[in-house]
Amino acid sequence: MTKINQNAFFFLIVFLTLFSSCVEKRNKEGKNASETILSKQSRLDSLLASPVIINSELKKEKINGIEFYKSYMITENEHSSYFQDSIIRHASLHGDIVELLKNKHQEKIVFLRFNSDKLNLRYGIYIGMNMDDFFKKMPEQEIQDNILIYDSEYASLKFYFDAKRKELKQAEYTYFME
């Protein structure tokens, strides 16, 4: 290799190294910024509106590597006999459940129960998370009988903790309808 080629090669390596470290740093900052932009109360409000995102068009959905199988429970629509309301249940073999109300106007999670170790709610809340990490993301509130309840006028989130291991063992969400 000639001296000019060696210098060009050296500068190319230095440039690529600097470029990749800048991109990596920006990605890390972007992830941290998205975590810190939402306040704890904003996270809670968002979770009370929709704790997970699920595609009800799929017969089988994977959430964090756990398969959920779809079944329907039809309910009558009090407002219209033409448009049928349906409750769609997605269940895993481990007893995890997501139920959605679906009709012409909306698709809304009405019940959720997660207890499998790999499952996550939005914003990095996951089954098996220790209490200290949990309260870094969620507003502090008193735990009674190993249960923490966040309520709003339209929804309730219950978090069940293992008292000995001090970690989240189950999450349950209920959306109240008229």
Side-chain angles (χ1 to χ4, degrees):
M1 231 194 235
T2 67
K3 181 105 173 144
I4 295 173
N5 286 343
Q6 286 178 336
N7 287 341
F9 182 71
F10 174 75
F11 285 117
L12 178 65
I13 295 295
V14 169
F15 173 76
L16 290 175
T17 303
L18 287 172
F19 180 75
S20 67
S21 68
C22 288
V23 168
E24 194 172 306
K25 184 178 178 185
R26 184 183 314 146
N27 287 341
K28 284 181 183 175
E29 287 173 355
K31 287 178 185 173
N32 291 339
S34 67
E35 281 286 316
T36 57
I37 287 173
L38 283 177
S39 69
K40 290 179 180 183
Q41 187 61 46
S42 295
R43 273 192 210 110
L44 174 59
D45 293 342
S46 180
L47 283 169
L48 284 166
S50 180
V52 293
I53 296 169
I54 191 163
N55 184 352
S56 65
E57 302 302 320
L58 300 176
K59 293 273 185 216
K60 196 164 58 169
E61 168 95 43
K62 270 194 176 185
I63 301 175
N64 304 113
I66 295 176
E67 287 190 325
F68 283 75
Y69 299 90
K70 179 179 181 177
S71 63
Y72 291 90
M73 299 185 301
I74 303 298
T75 60
E76 288 188 28
N77 188 338
E78 296 176 14
H79 308 291
S80 166
S81 59
Y82 183 71
F83 294 109
Q84 191 77 35
D85 286 346
S86 59
I87 301 287
I88 300 172
R89 172 179 274 210
H90 292 260
S92 79
L93 298 177
H94 309 287
D96 308 297
I97 295 172
V98 180
E99 289 181 358
L100 299 101
L101 168 70
K102 186 170 184 172
N103 63 26
K104 177 186 175 192
H105 307 289
Q106 71 173 339
E107 181 171 296
K108 180 76 182 161
I109 293 176
V110 292
F111 180 76
L112 171 142
R113 184 181 64 232
F114 279 178
N115 52 18
S116 292
D117 287 348
K118 297 178 186 177
L119 290 173
N120 293 343
L121 298 178
R122 294 169 63 201
Y123 308 115
I125 308 295
Y126 61 92
I127 305 301
M129 173 181 234
N130 71 48
M131 289 172 86
D132 292 335
D133 291 340
F134 178 86
F135 284 118
K136 288 177 185 173
K137 296 181 179 279
M138 297 295 286
E140 296 233 10
Q141 192 168 310
E142 186 179 338
I143 297 176
Q144 295 181 351
D145 297 325
N146 301 318
I147 301 171
L148 176 62
I149 301 173
Y150 295 107
D151 282 325
S152 72
E153 64 186 68
Y154 56 86
S156 176
L157 256 173
K158 292 181 186 174
F159 294 100
Y160 298 84
F161 289 91
D162 183 315
K164 292 179 184 174
R165 297 191 334 216
K166 303 257 186 220
E167 63 183 34
L168 182 60
K169 69 177 187 180
Q170 184 174 329
E172 194 170 291
Y173 170 83
T174 308
Y175 181 79
F176 306 116
M177 297 186 301
E178 329 175 328

